[in-house]
Amino acid sequence: MPLLTRRQALALTLASATLPLARTAFAAAEPAQVKIALDWTPNTNHIGLYVAQAKNFYKDAGLDVQILPYTDTDAGTLVANGVADFGITGPIGVFTQRAAGADIKSVYAIVQTETGRVIFNDSRKDIQRPKDLDGKTYGGFGSAWENALISAIIRNDGGEGKINTVTLGTSAYEALASGSVDFTLEVYTWEGIEAQLEKKAVRRFRYSDYGVPDEQTTLIGSSDAYIAKNPEAAKAFIQATKRGYDYSVDHPDESADLLIAGANGALTNADLVKASLKELIAGHYLKTADGKSGLIDPAKTLALGDFLFAHGILLDGQGAVLKDKPDFGTYYTNTLFG
């Protein structure tokens, strides 16, 4: 949840809502089996999937969709190896995995703009701007992208970009609270909202305010092999999924309840779910101010790809830094929308 969010970092280290989809000849046939893998335990980034399932949008489209539970295996890896047909991932994961030769590409943008933040305790009066992070200790998740991200933010604010990194994984937030680290990263629309509900005194820096390209933080990925073999099922899935996310924006209370029910006990804090969804809608994360949802933004994709290439984050299958910039236009497709 460019930003490497907490969820993306951990993964790296291991139509309108009101219009029903027409039943086509494809939809009238035997339901097509589709599997989508989650990137984390169920949360509001996944709400459109659960709504589409509960409201029978997938069934209407001639699909039998199985939402695979989160595992230690990255969803992009499951997609690239044909275990899942689609997977929730992030642009950093797609870029790094495809650069290394994996068969994965972005096909749907769930979140339209960055949700990641650099976060630190409000009591730290010595931290007023990113350059104040120079020489301080970062509680991180073990990916090269994190250090490139944070160093760039600090340098773009006039600092040297030198930090001490301690890899902590999911305990980073607790380490921040105890003062064991000076700062970490969060997914604002989930962990940030949770911090507000718990009245934690923290402050944040937004990546794109300091020269890091904005990104569509959470995506759905698929593979060229699956799309080529199952073009109609792929299109039906993406269009029904878009219908689910658009419905969530238009009917937030009902959709939050459907997510909670569909999560089978994984979501116990209804206030957090509803507050998170409210922020996702109000902040135009799920749908842009001009009403766009789902489509991959070519400009954001290319800008992020250029940033990753320039900072030596993209490696080939042998672990060597790419010498030649790839054609980032092949890293995504919007063809499944129509």
Side-chain angles (χ1 to χ4, degrees), residues 303-317:
L304 180 59
D306 287 346
F307 182 89
L308 295 172
F309 179 74
H311 285 78
I313 302 300
L314 302 182
L315 311 179
D316 64 20

Side-chain angles (χ1 to χ4, degrees), residues 25-111:
F26 168 76
E30 192 72 18
Q33 307 291 315
V34 175
K35 295 179 180 180
I36 179 165
L38 298 185
D39 61 333
W40 200 253
T41 53
N43 59 75
T44 45
N45 280 350
H46 309 141
I47 194 164
L49 304 175
Y50 286 91
V51 168
Q53 192 80 289
K55 300 293 291 185
N56 290 325
F57 297 162
Y58 290 135
K59 182 179 180 181
D60 291 347
L63 303 174
D64 180 5
V65 174
Q66 181 182 1
I67 301 174
L68 302 178
Y70 169 71
T71 70
D72 289 339
T73 303
D74 172 55
T77 299
L78 296 176
V79 168
N81 287 282
V83 177
D85 307 312
F86 297 90
I88 306 296
T89 184
I92 310 303
V94 172
F95 275 107
T96 55
Q97 290 175 315
R98 191 172 179 94
D103 184 9
I104 185 171
K105 69 193 317 175
S106 305
V107 297
Y108 188 97
I110 294 174
V111 176

